[in-house]
Amino acid sequence: MSTAPWYEEPSPGTGSLEPRAWFAASDAARLSLGGTWRFRLSPRADSEDTSFAAPGYDASGWAELAVPGHWVLQGHGCPAYTNVHYPFPVDPPHVPTENPTGDHLRTFDVPDAMSADGEVLLRFDGVESCARVWLNGTELGTFMGSRLPHEFEVGALLRPRGNVLAVRVHQWSAGSYLEDQDQWWMPGIFREVTLLHRPPGAAGDFFVHSPYDHRTGRGTLRVESAVPGRVLVPELGLDLATGESALIPVEPWTAETPRLYTAELVMPGERVPLRIGFRTVVVEDGLLKVNGRRILFRGVNRHEFHPETGRTLGLATMREDLVLMKRHNINAARTSHYPPHPAFLELCDELGLWVIDECDLETHGFEEVGWRGNPVDDPRWTPALLDRAARMVERDKNHPSVVLWSLGNECGTGQGLSAMADWIRDRDPGRPIHYEGDRSCRDTDVYARMYASQEETARIGRHEDTDGPGERDRLPFILCEYGHAMGNGPGGLTEYQDLFETYERCQGGFIWEWIDHGLAHPELGHAYGGDFGEELHDGNFVCDGLLFPDRTPSPGLVEYKKVIEPVRFAGDGTAGTLHITNCHDFSGLSHLSFDWSYEVEGKAVSSGPLAVPDLAPGRSVELKLDPPPVADASREAYWTVRAVLAHDTPWAPRGHEVAWSQLPVVPRPVVPRPASAPVAGIAPVREGHRVTLGPAAFDCRTGLLTDLCGIPVEGPRLDVWRAPTDNDAGASWAPEEQYARRWRELGLDRMQHRLDDMELMDSHCVVRSRVAPAASDLALRVTYIWSGDGERVRLTVSVAPEGTWTLPLPRLGVRMGLPGAYGQAQWFGAGPGEAYPDTRRAARVGRWSMPVDAMQTPYVRPQENGARAEVRWAELHDGQRGLRIEGDPEFWFTARRWTSEELAAARHLPDLVPGDRVWLNLDHGMHGIGSASCGPGVLTEYQLRAEEAVFGFVFGPLAVTR
């Protein structure tokens, strides 16, 4: 009878000490064991014996490896990405015989400070997926739980010089069944390894209790400690014995006002710095409240990721993440789907962020087999689940930023989750519990959902979600995932935010997710699933973040910042009235200053400060703006008002913009419809196959323009295709939202243009065309009317659908090509970044200028991007001369050096090779973006239906002045 190896046991391991509170530093000695280790990779768990752990083993022929780090990112094997599927047969707790195994060796000397009396602990903060550990030839134990700390007592085994630490890490273990978390599978010792001296009388575990009573303004401080000592808080004049309580007036901690009191835990043998925040979290009256007030999560889900080092993050990267969040009005993070590096929580305490701390637990792959054998409902696994819950709670319990514990993610339901919830409630009743996967909410204190549509969210907000038990209806509602930020998007965020601010029960949500997990690749730029030869993978579904892999904000993050801004402006620009609402949960407006500018046709003509009272949260005020300069009814004008930081903060300097709005004063002039207002003056002239009309020349065999204002051009002609976005592709479970597939099946990517007629009139020429896909009787009848004078030419386009169209169009406009030298763009309209019908909140009206190359958005998988909205006019030039295009009405403007077809064919950014043309799309209409890659599709009001349309443009020469 065979005995299963230890790494196939569902237990959490052997030999580790009980979990305890984490702290960054103390006056006790510590030694980092990070750096260069010796490393050997074997294809199987049993390929090599354990002789390498014995003192004197010669590992000089082994490779060198950076620890912390993943071996697959250092030239040993390859990473692999799956979302739901396990990359091995589902047969718990067994794993494949082919089980990559990394043997690690580190030799170190012990500092003299650690040679004193007391204990010495060896601490691992993160190892994927399991580890077996030896020190100086003695086995210490084994452990699983990749994103959790494990400690061993090693003092008796240490010697002053030449200590040998040996660690065997298996890529697959029973623990892998609990860690199916929609990310790269990347084994290794990826967090710190540290030696900690624990002198006699050193701090053991301790629990800081610091609730706040909003009715009295007082906080209570009590520190439970396994070792008796004292708690010093000089600022409060406190000197308490551990276990004693003090009630004292304090300033509370919130994510908006992260007030921390510097303290010290003084033990006979150690002094531990503390930062204490006073706050109380409760579910009361059906609402989640902090310090007596309902809070609204403006959050993100955050995996730990760096494009070069994977889940190994330095403190600077963690701080960069938090600074970017704060600068984009984000106030909350869900640590999907495991506890983060503990230093991240310290930064959340310091900078101010609500945190849902999630256990290192996901068994999503069992859904593929009907949840048969799911570990969370198998009592053999309950000790491992309880161990993971305890290691999270004990490590992180002293952080005021942590306001909810999460049992895990996408684990189905089962007795193991109930056991975890019971344990957590008993250990820490001061924080509610979150878990999304159980609709009964039996084990949770909040009702959480993923990707509920706007319509369903509204029903839940009205307490009309009658498909669940009555208990659930009394719980606060959180969208723990929404707004799937994959590629271009997400769209529809404004409608969600309106619901969060309308229905008290709807307390916000967390965008999926923070950063694209594109791994740096020398040929591909950034790699995603399948780029490393994985047999089973989920493609670029791993690139679904608000940041690009290099941590550049995407247009989605810029849009989200605007949607969730904590100050709202409304009003009547013509009347000069301004309505301001404070949408903070706790803060007034004294930390902000306000200003205004008056702009005419995109240029500021006057500006100044704006006096705004210090409004309490939720309060509003109406102000009167100064009378503007004399308005010219023929020139578009508007107010721009802003709220900016009044003082430097730890996360942004004084003047950082927090919120803004624009109020029209003189709307865009109403002009005649293009069909009834041709540019009069010159009759068309035909010479052979060439027709000239003012500054334009045509080929009468095709009806297409060939020369415009002395510039050789291609087109313009009707265009309805765009390179599908990830959201256009949709999700497998919602075929009705898979527009990319349906558009291709209809043939919108291969439309054929038939010239029916070209008629020359006294003052204009008319080109009639039929645009249709092969194998279909659907078509678009197009009439192009051209008229011109000596300098300019007007194009009017009339479109009429033929047949019964049931699908929306990707876009509706004209495409034309200019010589590649015309690579500098200017426009008056919305900008500076891209915008689409349901992602246009962050685009403001102004005059913008940038190279065509800078107008491209570098999505990891290339797709439709770069459209500018509400464009009144656009100019393209080569530095000396150019072309001006005026819209009638406003249009969507896109310029790029490749066609939509070339963009759609590309898999990575290096696939896009600039051609010898600049391709312009001048669009009358654009289909929205939505979130259908994993969420709701495009809302009805943002769908572009095939309907009759009339639109036009005026083209003229541009002389560039320097």
Side-chain angles (χ1 to χ4, degrees):
M1 181 176 178
S2 62
T3 302
W6 74 269
Y7 52 83
E8 288 191 338
E9 294 291 337
S11 70
T14 60
S16 294
L17 299 177
E18 291 297 311
R20 64 187 178 96
W22 181 88
F23 50 90
S26 76
D27 63 351
R30 60 176 57 203
L31 174 66
S32 170
L33 297 181
T36 301
W37 291 44
R38 288 292 182 176
F39 176 77
R40 175 182 66 188
L41 180 64
S42 303
R44 296 161 47 120
D46 58 357
S47 295
E48 300 286 349
D49 60 28
T50 61
S51 60
F52 78 101
Y57 183 88
D58 182 8
S60 60
W62 289 17
E64 292 185 338
L65 191 79
V67 173
H70 303 278
W71 72 64
V72 293
L73 298 184
Q74 300 183 59
H76 306 279
C78 292
Y81 167 63
T82 61
N83 170 25
V84 176
H85 300 92
Y86 289 105
F88 47 79
V90 180
D91 182 25
H94 304 295
V95 296
T97 300
E98 299 302 315
N99 187 358
T101 295
D103 290 332
H104 302 68
L105 280 176
R106 171 74 153 88
T107 302
F108 64 94
D109 298 333
V110 176
D112 293 340
M114 285 190 177
S115 301
D117 292 340
E119 298 178 340
V120 179
L121 305 185
L122 174 64
R123 180 182 180 94
F124 294 87
D125 278 299
V127 181
E128 182 178 333
S129 70
C130 66
R132 186 179 178 188
V133 185
W134 297 263
L135 180 63
N136 293 330
T138 299
E139 182 170 352
L140 303 180
T142 62
F143 63 86
M144 301 182 198
S146 297
R147 268 65 69 172
L148 295 162
H150 296 83
E151 292 180 332
F152 300 91
E153 206 291 309
V154 298
L157 299 173
L158 290 172
R159 51 199 184 203
R161 301 287 181 267
N163 294 278
V164 178
L165 177 59
V167 186
R168 173 163 284 178
V169 179
H170 302 297
Q171 174 155 9
W172 309 123
S173 68
S176 302
Y177 285 101
L178 304 180
E179 298 173 3
D180 186 25
Q181 292 148 323
D182 185 13
Q183 60 182 337
W184 292 100
W185 299 91
M186 292 189 294
I189 305 172
F190 68 94
R191 287 185 185 159
E192 291 84 356
V193 183
T194 313
L195 209 62
L196 304 169
H197 185 221
R198 314 305 300 141
D205 187 32
F206 59 90
F207 196 163
V208 177
H209 300 274
S210 52
Y212 175 75
D213 188 336
H214 65 281
R215 294 160 298 190
T216 66
R218 296 186 173 205
T220 301
L221 178 61
R222 178 172 58 89
V223 178
E224 295 177 359
S225 177
V227 177
R230 304 199 69 79
V231 182
L232 308 181
V233 191
E235 190 175 354
L236 297 175
L238 290 180
D239 181 348
L240 290 176
T242 55
E244 291 183 350
S245 295
L247 181 65
I248 192 167
V250 295
E251 299 174 48
W253 187 97
T254 74
E256 294 169 6
T257 56
R259 180 67 162 94
L260 294 172
Y261 289 87
T262 299
E264 194 172 34
L265 180 62
V266 180
M267 298 297 174
E270 184 179 24
R271 302 175 77 97
V272 180
L274 302 178
R275 295 192 297 180
I276 297 172
F278 291 87
R279 60 106 187 93
T280 296
V281 188
V282 297
V283 173
E284 181 180 74
D285 304 323
L287 299 175
L288 178 66
K289 297 181 180 180
V290 175
N291 301 338
R293 297 186 63 90
R294 169 191 183 261
I295 62 172
L296 182 60
F297 291 126
R298 299 169 169 90
V300 292
N301 286 273
R302 176 187 176 268
H303 267 297
E304 292 185 311
F305 182 76
H306 189 281
E308 295 175 347
T309 59
R311 283 186 286 281
T312 300
L313 301 186
L315 190 63
T317 299
M318 298 180 219
R319 183 175 286 274
E320 181 182 2
D321 278 349
L322 272 168
V323 165
L324 282 168
M325 290 180 193
K326 295 289 288 188
R327 289 183 176 182
H328 288 86
N329 295 329
I330 289 165
N331 72 356
R334 175 178 174 231
T335 69
S336 52
H337 299 293
Y338 42 83
H341 190 289
F344 178 77
L345 298 179
E346 283 222 321
L347 292 171
C348 292
D349 296 342
E350 173 192 331
L351 298 179
L353 213 71
W354 309 118
V355 175
I356 298 181
D357 198 356
E358 193 149 88
C359 195
D360 191 9
L361 176 60
E362 180 170 339
T363 64
H364 201 173
F366 283 89
E367 185 179 40
E368 302 297 301
V369 296
W371 295 108
R372 292 185 302 276
N374 185 10
V376 303
D377 201 27
D378 182 339
R380 295 179 302 162
W381 296 81
T382 300
L385 302 181
L386 290 172
D387 180 75
R388 289 172 184 247
R391 291 187 183 279
M392 171 183 69
V393 171
E394 300 295 9
R395 192 195 76 169
D396 298 341
K397 58 183 178 285
N398 294 326
H399 293 286
S401 57
V402 176
V403 293
L404 288 166
W405 298 119
S406 179
L407 301 179
N409 184 69
E410 294 175 321
C411 299
T413 59
Q415 56 188 297
L417 290 173
S418 298
M420 293 169 68
D422 291 343
W423 186 92
I424 292 174
R425 284 198 177 96
D426 182 68
R427 179 60 173 141
D428 181 24
R431 290 180 177 93
I433 292 176
H434 165 277
Y435 177 64
E436 178 272 339
D438 183 2
R439 295 288 180 88
S440 75
C441 297
R442 176 185 57 198
D443 299 317
T444 70
D445 301 301
V446 298
Y447 175 29
R449 289 286 305 281
M450 295 180 182
Y451 308 108
S453 68
Q454 293 92 334
E455 179 183 3
E456 185 179 5
T457 299
R459 289 199 306 270
I460 293 171
R462 295 191 297 264
H463 295 269
E464 295 174 359
D465 52 322
T466 57
D467 62 331
E471 294 82 359
R472 191 179 78 189
D473 191 53
R474 294 193 289 269
L475 300 179
F477 176 70
I478 296 169
L479 276 168
C480 64
E481 292 181 22
Y482 83 111
H484 196 253
M486 186 175 179
N488 188 333
L493 298 182
T494 296
E495 288 71 22
Y496 276 115
Q497 193 66 22
D498 289 345
L499 296 173
F500 300 156
E501 296 178 8
T502 298
Y503 299 108
E504 263 202 328
R505 185 190 186 193
C506 297
Q507 294 194 237
F510 298 78
I511 296 295
W512 186 269
E513 63 161 308
W514 177 236
I515 187 170
D516 286 344
H517 298 203
L519 288 169
H521 192 283
E523 287 86 33
L524 303 177
H526 288 104
Y528 49 78
D531 288 334
F532 297 98
E534 304 102 301
E535 293 181 355
L536 185 69
H537 66 85
D538 286 295
N540 69 310
F541 204 72
V542 77
C543 294
D544 47 10
L546 294 169
L547 295 181
F548 296 124
D550 65 359
R551 282 181 160 74
T552 300
S554 75
L557 180 56
V558 177
E559 176 79 357
Y560 191 43
K561 174 186 177 180
K562 175 62 179 168
V563 168
I564 62 177
E565 60 188 10
V567 179
R568 291 275 185 260
F569 299 102
D572 185 330
T574 303
T577 59
L578 176 64
H579 190 81
I580 301 177
T581 301
N582 180 6
C583 297
H584 290 90
D585 295 327
F586 295 92
S587 296
L589 298 182
S590 62
H591 65 295
L592 301 174
S593 61
F594 294 78
D595 57 47
W596 60 269
S597 64
Y598 185 77
E599 296 162 26
V600 177
E601 292 190 345
K603 293 184 176 181
V605 296
S606 58
S607 61
L610 183 65
V612 177
D614 184 15
L615 298 174
R619 298 292 186 177
S620 300
V621 67
E622 188 161 302
L623 304 176
K624 187 73 174 178
L625 294 165
D626 293 334
V630 177
D632 180 349
S634 67
R635 304 180 72 200
E636 186 177 359
Y638 44 87
W639 301 97
T640 296
V641 291
R642 304 189 313 146
V644 303
L645 289 179
H647 308 284
D648 290 346
T649 72
W651 48 269
R654 176 178 179 270
H656 166 77
E657 186 177 87
V658 173
W660 63 273
S661 187
Q662 291 183 308
L663 305 175
V665 177
V666 179
R668 188 180 185 215
V670 177
V671 297
R673 294 297 297 167
S676 60
V679 175
I682 292 180
V685 176
R686 178 168 182 168
E687 297 178 359
H689 297 306
R690 178 181 171 88
V691 173
T692 58
L693 179 63
F698 303 84
D699 185 334
C700 62
R701 295 168 295 185
T702 63
L704 295 178
L705 196 66
T706 59
D707 189 272
L708 181 58
C709 302
I711 302 170
V713 299
E714 296 183 36
R717 68 177 186 178
L718 191 76
D719 188 22
V720 298
W721 180 244
R722 74 183 187 196
T725 68
D726 290 312
N727 287 305
D728 289 338
S732 60
W733 55 85
E736 70 281 359
E737 300 289 353
Q738 294 174 1
Y739 284 120
R741 172 185 57 81
R742 298 172 69 193
W743 286 337
R744 283 191 170 102
E745 288 175 353
L746 181 58
L748 298 188
D749 59 332
R750 46 184 171 81
M751 300 289 275
Q752 299 184 21
H753 298 252
R754 186 185 74 203
L755 175 63
D756 287 342
D757 180 44
M758 184 172 184
E759 184 178 4
L760 306 185
M761 315 292 283
D762 290 342
S763 61
H764 55 279
C765 67
V766 180
V767 179
R768 299 179 180 89
S769 178
R770 185 177 188 271
V771 181
S776 173
D777 61 354
L778 298 180
L780 298 170
R781 291 282 183 178
V782 189
T783 301
Y784 306 91
I785 301 175
W786 292 91
S787 58
D789 57 22
E791 291 188 353
R792 302 187 306 158
V793 63
R794 176 187 290 274
L795 167 65
T796 299
V797 183
S798 299
V799 182
E802 188 176 277
T804 303
W805 289 75
T806 58
L807 274 179
L809 297 174
R811 64 177 354 123
L812 181 67
V814 295
R815 185 201 301 187
M816 63 185 298
L818 302 180
Y822 289 77
Q824 183 67 36
Q826 301 176 106
W827 71 96
F828 174 34
E834 74 179 24
Y836 290 81
D838 53 351
T839 65
R840 64 195 292 177
R841 283 284 299 275
R844 68 186 81 191
V845 175
R847 293 196 185 200
W848 310 102
S849 176
M850 66 181 65
V852 166
D853 296 334
M855 296 178 69
Q856 316 311 306
T857 304
Y859 295 113
V860 175
R861 186 192 71 79
Q863 56 197 271
E864 166 63 36
N865 73 88
R868 269 57 180 183
E870 303 173 39
V871 175
R872 285 72 160 158
W873 55 256
E875 298 172 344
L876 279 298
H877 66 82
D878 62 2
Q880 294 181 321
R881 64 172 186 162
L883 183 69
R884 180 181 172 94
I885 307 164
E886 299 175 7
D888 189 5
E890 299 168 354
F891 61 101
W892 303 85
F893 168 55
T894 309
R896 56 174 67 107
R897 295 189 182 275
W898 35 77
T899 65
S900 295
E901 291 75 16
E902 291 168 330
L903 187 59
R907 291 188 67 246
H908 297 88
L909 287 172
D911 296 337
L912 292 170
V913 179
D916 60 357
R917 296 284 187 274
V918 170
W919 294 99
L920 307 182
N921 275 97
L922 314 174
D923 291 307
H924 176 62
M926 189 81 73
H927 187 61
I929 297 296
S931 188
S933 53
C934 194
V938 178
L939 294 171
T940 302
E941 57 265 39
Y942 302 121
Q943 296 179 7
L944 178 62
R945 294 295 169 184
E947 300 171 339
E948 291 189 2
V950 179
F951 55 94
F953 308 94
V954 175
F955 302 91
L958 174 68
V960 179
T961 58
R962 296 184 181 274

